[in-house]
Amino acid sequence: MVYDALVIGNGIAGSCTALFLARQGKSVCLVTKASALDETNTARAQGGIVFRGERDTTDLLLADILRASSFSSCRKSARILARLGPVLVQRFLIEELHVPFERKKEGTWDLFQEGAHSLRRILHVKDYTGKAIQERLNEAVLKERNITLFPRTFALELITSLHLADFAFRYKPPECFGAYVLRGNEVIPIFARATVLATGGLNAIFRHSSGGPWCTGDGFALAWRAQATLVNMEYIQFHPTLLYSPGEPYAFLISEAVRGEGAVLLDREGKPFLEHFHPLGNLAPRDVVARAIFQTMKEEGTSHVFLDLSPLGAEKIRTAFPEIFEELRRRGFDVTREPVPVVPGAHFACGGVLSDSWGRTTVRRLYAVGEVACTGVHGTNRLASTSLLEGLVFAFRAARSIVSSEPPLAPPPLLPFPEQVGEPPEEHVLAELRRVIQETMWEYVGLEREKAGLFRALDCLLEVKQNVLNLQQRHGVSAPLRELENMVDTALLVTRAALQNPLSFSTPLIRSGRAPSSPGGSQDGRS
């Protein structure tokens, strides 16, 4: 099978790339390992997407992005996002897809305020913005004749120079020709003039995480094995407020927008504490908030802090945040009357596959967009609600680059795929190895890091990797086993990157009403 483009992943970045290409007459194969098209992190995004606030400008948004990253962002990429992002939201999401963003009674946009933004500029659909966007994207993808959709299809390996029978390719810079995918029990090579990684994040490698179980770092591992350059892998952003849910591997996220509207974080005695760490208090950048929570938990010997939504008022909670209200009510919390226990959790990879402002990676014909990519927009710390915007903007630019600059591809002769397909090991075996990865990453490579702990993590992860390889020898390749291998490979990438960066080691926040700064963003550089 040969296409103009192979897109791996169907969140906002992947779906938009596929749609932009298809609408220019290009044949697109859109691959997703999910059985349902709403199994994406885009669909789980609550807060919203950056738009234009009153008296807002490109320079104001750029300044907020740079400030949130402690000026570690790539200024060129950040400016592209700030300039082009609101335009694409207007033209594509609003005018073309008709995403039903909230308006006030007089017809103007109902914009949220979020931490580290200098004004209200967050466009939203109640508190399920991502779900609304994903639904409209899915409808458009399913209607598009130039898109061939392969659900329940797992990308095993990118096809590169190393997989070709012609050795002449091996002495040239690396080039991507497509991917081997697993459909049922069959390995299929898909060739494309351009391959786009849009596989999302990696937060499932941590014990507390905001994403779905699909966030296993597949794209990072695929790119690494294809010899692409990855950067800033140590910079993992931790969301401050996941519902504390002991025993559940994937926690319910409570949007930062609730603090933008007036919710307050409290310690075990019911007292606000963020003002002791940062002058913006509950509107401080999320890296400061997450680390302040973690530090407060350690000082108090508690497993969580509390989030009080009652200052918003019952009516505001029910109307502006209906999904959060209903989910917490289902779990036994009446947030109009009582605070809820919250804990930080792994949320977003600020680093990833190095890509330029057109989505091009260091491997020819290979692109990366969305969370798996590192365009440099986020630097060491992402500004709230810029992730959906980044996926949209760089999907648009990657599609333009593919149309204008990628030459047609004649499929080269392939070597046979080196592994046999088999049945996966028993689930309890896989579950135990996943648990070891998640516990190791949370304990040693999470919100606090020190050199000895990182070396312990490295030893533990290498042992898991060996166990995975042994299982593959016995059972053959399968989607669950390769997904587990992707998890441990990605965990190793994060851990090694952390060891190589002294800014990754932890320095406690100072309770002085002001957070310390560093040239690498937050003091530990990751939250």
Side-chain angles (χ1 to χ4, degrees):
M1 289 184 282
V2 184
Y3 296 88
D4 289 317
L6 167 63
V7 180
I8 305 172
N10 75 295
I12 189 169
S15 293
C16 286
T17 304
L19 287 166
F20 291 145
L21 286 167
R23 290 175 182 187
Q24 295 188 67
K26 304 303 176 185
S27 60
V28 181
C29 180
L30 180 59
V31 167
T32 173
K33 67 179 181 180
S35 55
L37 293 183
D38 60 355
E39 292 177 9
T40 68
N41 268 13
T42 293
R44 293 171 70 99
Q46 293 177 349
I49 186 169
V50 168
F51 191 47
R52 292 191 195 94
E54 188 178 348
R55 295 186 296 276
D56 205 355
T57 66
T58 294
D59 286 341
L60 272 177
L61 176 53
L62 175 62
D64 286 349
I65 293 170
L66 296 177
R67 194 180 305 109
S69 76
S70 290
F71 302 95
S72 61
S73 298
C74 170
R75 184 177 286 267
K76 177 182 177 181
S77 296
R79 178 168 285 279
I80 288 170
L81 187 82
R83 176 178 54 82
L84 186 57
V87 175
L88 285 172
V89 170
Q90 177 70 43
R91 293 181 181 175
F92 187 63
L93 297 185
I94 296 173
E95 296 175 5
E96 188 168 338
L97 295 188
H98 306 292
V99 177
F101 295 114
E102 299 293 318
R103 292 182 184 269
K104 295 178 181 178
K105 290 180 180 179
E106 62 270 25
T108 58
W109 296 115
D110 179 25
L111 301 174
F112 275 158
Q113 173 80 52
E114 288 197 351
H117 285 271
S118 58
L119 42 71
R120 288 179 174 269
R121 60 160 70 96
I122 311 303
L123 205 55
H124 64 102
V125 181
K126 303 292 185 185
D127 58 348
Y128 45 86
T129 308
K131 180 181 178 183
I133 292 173
Q134 188 71 59
E135 286 174 350
R136 295 302 168 97
L137 287 170
N138 293 345
E139 292 169 7
V141 164
L142 291 171
K143 290 177 183 175
E144 180 52 65
R145 294 181 179 179
N146 287 330
I147 295 177
T148 302
L149 178 64
F150 282 176
R152 296 180 294 279
T153 302
F154 193 88
L156 292 171
E157 210 71 56
L158 296 177
I159 298 172
T160 68
S161 316
L162 296 177
H163 297 100
L164 303 185
D166 185 351
F167 265 67
F169 281 102
R170 301 191 179 204
Y171 307 112
K172 299 176 183 178
E175 189 170 354
C176 182
F177 303 96
Y180 291 107
V181 302
L182 183 63
R183 299 197 74 199
N185 291 319
E186 184 182 6
V187 176
I188 303 169
I190 299 177
F191 292 98
R193 64 192 278 191
T195 299
V196 184
L197 291 175
T199 50
L202 52 70
N203 54 44
I205 68 175
F206 289 89
R207 182 173 73 192
H208 295 295
S209 69
S210 64
W214 50 80
C215 296
T216 49
D218 300 329
F220 305 95
L222 285 169
W224 174 69
R225 292 196 290 264
Q227 302 179 347
T229 299
L230 290 90
V231 296
N232 289 356
M233 288 297 293
E234 68 272 35
Y235 294 124
I236 309 298
Q237 185 177 71
F238 287 76
H239 196 284
T241 50
L242 308 185
L243 181 66
Y244 177 63
S245 310
E248 293 186 20
Y250 306 102
F252 179 69
L253 183 147
I254 302 174
S255 170
E256 279 196 292
V258 300
R259 284 186 288 113
E261 297 302 303
V264 179
L265 282 159
L266 308 173
D267 62 19
R268 67 179 178 186
E269 296 179 355
K271 296 179 180 178
F273 60 89
L274 277 171
E275 289 77 6
H276 299 299
F277 293 99
H278 196 281
L280 290 177
N282 284 278
L283 294 180
R286 64 171 52 162
D287 66 314
V288 175
V289 177
R291 292 177 60 223
I293 292 172
F294 193 77
Q295 190 165 317
T296 300
M297 287 163 48
K298 284 190 66 176
E299 292 170 356
E300 296 185 338
T302 58
S303 56
H304 58 268
V305 295
F306 294 93
L307 181 64
D308 184 11
L309 282 74
S310 64
L312 280 68
E315 183 62 23
K316 175 80 169 180
I317 294 170
R318 292 191 186 99
T319 57
F321 303 103
E323 191 165 86
I324 292 173
F325 173 74
E326 287 297 334
E327 178 63 23
L328 293 177
R329 188 169 68 88
R330 188 184 68 79
R331 294 171 182 246
F333 297 101
D334 181 356
V335 294
T336 65
R337 297 174 178 270
E338 61 181 334
V340 293
V342 293
V343 65
H347 185 53
F348 190 86
C350 293
V353 184
L354 181 63
S355 56
D356 66 11
S357 62
W358 296 99
R360 296 174 296 207
T361 74
T362 56
V363 174
R364 192 182 168 206
R365 296 183 188 268
L366 179 64
Y367 289 71
V369 291
E371 188 174 352
V372 72
C374 183
T375 60
V377 164
H378 308 302
T380 61
N381 182 56
R382 178 176 68 91
L383 179 66
S385 289
T386 52
S387 54
L388 294 176
L389 194 70
E390 182 192 26
L392 172 63
V393 167
F394 291 97
F396 175 77
R397 289 176 65 83
R400 285 188 61 186
S401 176
I402 291 166
V403 169
S404 64
S405 63
E406 294 300 344
L409 175 70
L414 271 178
L415 294 170
F417 187 70
E419 299 174 76
Q420 294 297 314
V421 175
E423 293 298 317
E426 295 180 359
E427 173 55 29
H428 73 87
V429 175
L430 300 175
E432 175 58 21
L433 290 172
R434 281 195 295 268
R435 185 194 66 78
V436 173
I437 294 169
Q438 291 167 339
E439 294 286 345
T440 299
M441 293 300 290
W442 182 257
E443 183 70 23
Y444 301 118
V445 202
L447 275 158
E448 285 195 353
R449 299 176 185 172
E450 46 89 22
K451 197 169 187 178
L454 291 170
F455 276 116
R456 282 195 291 273
L458 200 58
D459 288 341
C460 186
L461 293 170
L462 288 170
E463 185 177 343
V464 173
K465 172 73 174 183
Q466 187 59 58
N467 286 331
V468 172
L469 294 177
N470 292 340
L471 288 169
Q472 285 185 352
Q473 286 253 315
R474 293 203 301 270
H475 295 270
V477 68
S478 62
L481 197 47
R482 182 52 60 92
E483 188 176 68
L484 181 62
E485 184 178 12
N486 290 343
M487 285 182 72
V488 71
D489 282 347
T490 302
L492 284 164
L493 286 167
V494 174
T495 304
R496 286 172 175 143
L499 271 167
Q500 292 169 359
N501 183 359
L503 290 174
S504 185
F505 303 152
S506 299
T507 300
L509 290 173
I510 300 170
R511 282 182 175 269
S512 62
R514 189 173 179 181
S517 61
S518 79
S522 59
Q523 193 69 27
D524 64 359
R526 302 178 318 281
S527 316

